[in-house]
Every structure is written in structure tokens, then in C-alpha cells.
Amino acid sequence: MVSFIFIMFGLGWGVSSFLICIADEGPKRAKRPQPPRSGIEFVSPEIRAFQEDDFSSPAMLWATRGEHLWQETAGPRGESCQSCHHDAAQSMKGVSARYPKIDEPSGALLNVEARINRCRTEKQKAAAFAYDSESLLALTAYVGLQSRGMEMKVTIDEKNKARFESGQRLFSTRIGQMNLACTNCHDDNYGRKLLNDTISQGHINAYPAYRIEWQDFGSLHRRLRACFYGVRAQLPTAGSDELLDLELFLAWRSQGLPVETPGVRR
Amino acid sequence: MSVAKISLPKSVNRGESVAVRVAIQHPMETGYRVDNKGKLILKNTVREMNCLYNGALVFSAEMGSGIAANPYLLFYLVAKDSGLIQLNWVDDAGVKGTASALLTVV
């Protein structure tokens, strides 16, 4: 069983309380909801119908755009993603299910967005895409689509353990003026209402996704920033180490759920 | 660059009514929103779209800020001959887009 020790520090009036999770070796003792339930189970039937029909899903417009970009050349050698990776249905199958991943030999933790930008700058020798740019979102959606239905399956090992633990710590640390940790909503209160939303378990298997609230397609990091904003905490930058650590932890937490990318959410 | 697409049934009988589904990737900027610095974002919506069936106009719509982003429309036409269904649209910025699909009448 999972063991937790709650230590409260009272620091004058601006009380900050920390929830410290004492976990031993690796992810074995880290907690995650069992069984995991995808965010799609917590949305209205109308939004669900949107996601289930590829034609009416606005998210698929981005994946289609990504399919076009896959074949577009860039850089001095005039190479496209396709020049090296050929048929995405084969070469990109399963990629989004196992990211984020430590890149060898640089040691950097890369999510799919960062991996695509690596190829842009190092292989194509072209300018990197901005984080929430339409092109990067479209390519990430298209790469993600090739893993749709596959189980989320990130591996935690010696190489990424420190990053995983940092993500786990962030997930259970209270932040912001509301003094809430991710775990307070997504572990302790899923299924309950928060204003108009039903709180889900906070899984990442649908991202990047179209949100009705945004009237737009956005990255996981944009969604995470919305949660930081919700508790009135300082917003980490999209693509920052902090959000990548969280993403790694969240990927492990989502393990076993089918990839829904490109998903639709409220 | 934005994406537009048309969806049709695989094949239809002559004289049958056919559901045509259309989706256009477009922000449909209302003109009422402001950016992070408080500056008004210019209105830019798909102003007009039309649909030709073997060159003849079968459907057209004028749209504005009341239509959500990435408009999705459904309309019906009567199947006559096999042929091309073509969608054309233009927005307030003058950007144009098209999409097409083949209708098979048996």
C-alpha cells in the first residue's frame, strides 16, 4: 500500500502547507488512481460525440494540417519529415504513447513537441517552431494520431528517475493563492463538480486537444498552465523543465489508458 | 494555411437527398475580443462560403461573429449525376480556401 506522511509547516500568516510524499525507490510507491479513467468519461455526451466522429471533431482539422506539413520541405537541403521518416503510420506508431523520453546523448527530457523541434533544427536545419504555434500543434497531433488506441506506456528507469520524482513532487505540492496541489483535485476529488466542470483524474492521453472553452486546439502545457492559473499560482512557461517533469509524471499516471490524440475536451 | 473538408456518403441513388457535411478550420475572430495587452483583435470570420455541384450553385451561406470557431455545416442536396462537389470560402481578410469531393450516383 501507499504510505503518505503529511507534514504541515505553519509559516506565520501566509501559511503554506506542504504535502510531502515519502516514496521509496522509483515509481513503485507513487500513487495513481486505480483503475485510471480517461478525461473523456467526465465530459458531456455531446463533447464525447465530437471526439468519436473524426469528421465533426474540430481537433482532426489540426491532424489533417499536420499530414500536409509532414510532406512540406524546409531547410537548406529541402527535406521534409517524410524524406527521412517515410510513412508516418509506420515510423510514428507508438511514439506518443511512450513519450516524454530522455534523448541520448544530450540527456535532455523531450516530449513530442520538443522532439519534433529537435528534428527541425538539427536534422532539417530549419528554424524551430514556437511552442503553441499552429504548425507544431498540427505536427504533434499528426504524430499522436499514429498511436491512437495504443496504451500509454512510459518507462521509468535510472535515466529519468530524477525528472519523474520532480514531477511527482510538483503534483503533490500545494501552490498558488488557493493553496491547492494537483493531487487535491485530480486524486481526491475527481467526479465532483467545480463550477461547470466535472473534475477528472487529470490524464494526458488526449493531448494536444481541442477545447471548446478555448475555441482552439492547444498543447498539454497550455492545459497545465490553465490549472496553475486556476489556483492563482505563477504560470510556468510552456516547454519549461517544470512542465516537462510534470508531463513525465502524468504520462506514468495515465499508463494503460488508450491514446486519444487529437482529443476534444470542454 | 487552413484546412477545409467535405464529407459525403460513399454512394447514393439518383433522386435521393444527400447529406453534405463541411468543416473549415478558422478562428472566426468575433471582433469583440482583446489581446493580452488590451488591444482589440480585428474581426475576421469566414464571410461567405458556397458549394457547387458540377459547377452549379447548390448552397451558400453568409457567416459572421455568431458562428463558433472552426465552423461545421450540414446541408442536403438532391443527387442527379455523379460529379464534383466543390466548396469555396473567403474571410474578412480576403483569405480564400477550397475543398472538393466526388459524389458517386448509382
Side-chain angles (χ1 to χ4, degrees), chain B:
Chain B
M1 254 294 284
S2 100
V3 172
K5 32 186 201 178
I6 302 179
S7 157
L8 297 169
K10 276 205 183 67
S11 72
V12 294
N13 297 318
R14 195 175 303 274
E16 207 182 319
S17 83
V18 185
V20 181
R21 301 198 292 164
V22 166
I24 305 171
Q25 183 189 27
H26 198 281
M28 299 297 278
E29 206 46 74
T30 59
Y32 299 116
R33 298 197 317 148
V34 291
D35 66 14
N36 290 340
K37 299 197 172 82
K39 207 175 142 241
L40 201 67
I41 305 174
L42 276 185
K43 172 175 175 292
N44 182 18
T45 66
V46 171
R47 192 189 320 150
E48 198 188 316
M49 63 145 282
N50 64 49
C51 213
L52 307 178
Y53 177 17
N54 280 336
L57 182 69
V58 285
F59 181 85
S60 75
E62 283 172 23
M63 298 196 239
S65 46
I67 309 274
N70 308 301
Y72 165 90
L73 287 98
L74 165 73
F75 60 89
Y76 292 87
L77 55 80
V78 176
K80 282 202 311 215
D81 304 305
S82 292
L84 192 71
I85 307 278
Q86 172 148 2
L87 165 80
N88 303 299
W89 62 264
V90 57
D91 71 11
D92 294 322
V95 173
K96 291 179 184 162
T98 90
S100 59
L102 285 171
L103 181 68
T104 309
V105 179
V106 290

Side-chain angles (χ1 to χ4, degrees), chain A residues 53-56 58 60-62 64-65 68 134 210 215, chain B residues 1 3 5-7 21-25 68-70 72:
Chain A
D53 172 21
D54 279 352
F55 191 85
S56 57
M60 283 302 283
L61 292 165
W62 272 259
T64 306
R65 175 85 188 106
H68 298 163
E134 195 203 46
Y210 191 89
Q215 291 277 294
Chain B
M1 254 294 284
V3 172
K5 32 186 201 178
I6 302 179
S7 157
R21 301 198 292 164
V22 166
I24 305 171
Q25 183 189 27
N70 308 301
Y72 165 90

Side-chain angles (χ1 to χ4, degrees), chain A residues 203-218:
Chain A
H203 292 301
I204 66 172
N205 55 318
Y207 287 83
Y210 191 89
R211 275 191 73 202
I212 309 296
E213 185 186 310
W214 292 334
Q215 291 277 294
D216 197 6
F217 189 72

